[in-house]
Amino acid sequence: MSPEPLPPVAPEVLAEAVGQLTARLRKKLDAAVAECAGKALAGSGGSVEVRFGEDTLVILRPGPSGAVTEPGQAVCSCLLAPRCLHRAAVLGAAPLADADTVPPADPAAPEPSEGTPPPVTAPVTASSVPVTTEEARPSPTPAQVDAAAGLWLAAAEALAAGVTAGGTVVQAELLRAAHSARLAGLPRAEAAALRVVRGLRTARERHRGQRLSDLTAAFRTLLAGAAALASGAAGAEEVGTARRAYAEGGSLRVLGLCREPVLSATGYGGVTTHLLGPDGSLCTLSDVRPGGVSRAKGAGTASVALGGAVLDHAGLARGGLLIAGATVSADGRLGAGRGVRATPVRGADWSQEPVAAFFARPVREAVASSLDAAASAPGDVGPALLGCDVEVLGAADDHLLARVLDGGPLVRLRVAHPHPELAHAENLRRIGGFPGVVLRVLGRPDPDRAATLRPLAVGPVPGASSSLRLPEEWRGHADLGYDRLQGDHFPRPEAGAAPGTPGPAGADPLADAPLWRVRRLLETGVAGGRRAVAEAARGADRTALGVPLRRAGLAGAAELAEGLAAEADRRPRDSFGRLVDASPDAYARAWLASAVHLDAAERALVTASWS
């Protein structure tokens, strides 16, 4: 029989199972979790079974949602059950169930069905759609402050342990604190904790797609949010909402900009269609369900589920909708409530108003607004889209070099979605084969790289002779994740013209700044824990850390990094002179201060690189 995948497990179920283990069994838990790999088999009635030896069998019976959400749905046949190592190991080997606290539905819509997807890790645009929003709620309640304090302590312990020591026991304590945060009404804090646990799991399993920088950012978000809530001074943004809040938007006319494939780390796929509101604000309409990349590819031509509109996402990206009774969330997502009615209307070419005005905004101003909005947004909300006209200079390594027209900066165009089954990479390679072509580009600025744009769609520049020649039915733009550019879509090279060379990429203020030393120290702490930071900054390395930073005028970064190194190396003694473990609280605060400072400094450098 072929192995069966384990069903997702609710975080609180795993936390309870680990909490019931003795100290001796906890030391064996990670090894037992590793033994579960490939041992799950399908049982009767939709159950999943994992056998340990001849006499011990663990059975998981998922509920109607497909996840194990109750302790009684996980049973073991051994004498120690339910306080046994086998049951905890199987639960620890299973994927975490997605939080159901933020379903993508508005209050006027029907309750989400079983197939409604959870929040995904795809970027979403921030929007200034003019809707009436609820006033900011008061400061956190005493129960929320207590839950946040517990979450801070668990997060600090996990940070001090790092990936190397952040096994199932450490993860379970963080999940227990996350569940307490959920019960206290802190959905944003819970979601941040779940991202950290998933990041720890991915890093320990050494998945190919794992990036240490992502886990570092997840720790920064979790610790910053928990600290603000535990202080009692946090506002509604840090508390979050259990359900996405939709407000009445009245009558709304939106025009399609492009489609973007969506892929999540938890097996969901679909499409997000980006739309332009009447005042130039951005909004989105998404269709994301289980299915991965195959679902993402097919959803590009799936019907739009909004107010009975007879359109698919391909048609909406090149058309528009007149929506009566519209509901819009604060981040620009359109709701599909019972009272919403939508009528297809003619769209606008990128060269026509009001879409053309979106591309006329100064690039540096648009980038600064996009990155600032992303920095203050929760979780996985990415930078907002921006549009600009560029001249492609040619390919360089794994990206294209392009110059923003009318004296703009030199920018790098990188693949928005690298999955080989999507069209992004192939389209970007084809564009690189036509140096000198001018394009109108719609994309998302990369917040981690200097002057880097992740293009989602391209179109011809009005009035330019050496620009794209797209089919009439494409309505003036190509969605790089779905449409495939061909040779006849590009201008023919002039006779005798030699292929151009991209030339030097120019200075990269982010790469040239010694801030990489701080970044490496922070990531070392995430990977190896507190001890790794202490070892990395001992002796001559401590001096080498601060001197280059001060020489570059980054005295604040130097002071914070040296403070982090000193705190990591602090080894207190008890009244008898014996070494004791230092509290993780001061270390986590030192790490967080340095991480927040680094994030702000890098964001400022990235913004400046677009000048």
Side-chain angles (χ1 to χ4, degrees), residues 200-373:
L200 286 171
R201 287 186 166 197
T202 302
R204 289 176 63 84
E205 294 166 4
R206 299 182 181 180
H207 285 183
R208 291 181 59 186
Q210 182 268 339
R211 294 199 315 166
L212 194 57
S213 59
D214 292 339
L215 183 54
T216 302
F219 263 112
R220 184 188 70 240
T221 302
L222 172 59
L223 288 168
L229 290 165
S231 70
E237 287 188 0
E238 286 79 10
V239 172
T241 54
R243 292 172 63 91
R244 178 170 286 108
Y246 284 75
E248 295 296 331
S251 180
L252 189 65
R253 182 188 178 98
V254 294
L255 301 174
L257 288 176
C258 73
R259 295 168 292 167
E260 178 185 8
V262 173
L263 285 175
S264 81
T266 52
Y268 284 78
V271 63
T272 290
T273 297
H274 298 275
L275 306 161
L276 190 69
D279 60 346
S281 56
L282 294 170
C283 50
T284 57
L285 187 63
S286 298
D287 178 7
V288 182
R289 298 181 184 277
V293 68
S294 60
R295 178 70 175 75
K297 293 168 63 178
T301 53
S303 298
V304 172
L306 182 68
V310 188
L311 267 181
D312 58 20
H313 281 272
L316 178 57
R318 293 180 167 93
L321 288 175
L322 180 60
I323 309 173
T327 56
V328 190
S329 71
D331 61 3
R333 299 194 189 189
L334 296 177
R338 295 188 185 92
V340 177
R341 295 293 180 267
T343 304
V345 296
R346 181 177 176 82
D349 190 277
W350 281 7
S351 61
Q352 300 172 339
E353 298 295 344
V355 181
F358 181 79
F359 291 89
R361 187 180 182 186
V363 172
R364 191 178 191 279
E365 176 187 325
V367 169
S369 175
S370 175
L371 296 182
D372 288 345

Side-chain angles (χ1 to χ4, degrees), residues 456-555:
L456 301 179
V458 295
V461 175
S465 58
S466 57
S467 194
L468 293 176
R469 302 171 181 176
L470 300 178
E472 185 177 350
E473 59 269 21
W474 285 11
R475 294 301 305 275
H477 75 267
D479 297 330
L480 296 181
Y482 292 102
D483 303 320
R484 295 188 181 271
L485 295 171
Q486 305 298 328
D488 57 355
H489 295 155
F490 292 87
R492 296 179 182 177
E494 298 180 4
T501 57
D508 185 341
L510 196 60
D512 295 341
L515 287 172
W516 65 266
R517 300 173 185 273
V518 183
R519 190 184 316 113
R520 184 176 65 180
L521 187 67
L522 294 171
E523 292 181 356
T524 296
V526 170
R530 179 177 189 150
R531 292 183 180 179
V533 173
E535 291 292 336
R538 278 194 183 131
D541 290 338
R542 182 80 59 86
T543 303
L545 178 63
V547 170
L549 291 167
R550 288 189 170 87
R551 189 178 296 145
L554 301 169

Side-chain angles (χ1 to χ4, degrees), residues 581-604:
D581 291 335
S583 168
D585 181 78
Y587 170 75
R589 294 186 184 278
W591 186 96
L592 177 60
S594 192
V596 170
H597 184 278
L598 175 66
D599 179 61
E602 290 187 331
R603 190 166 65 253

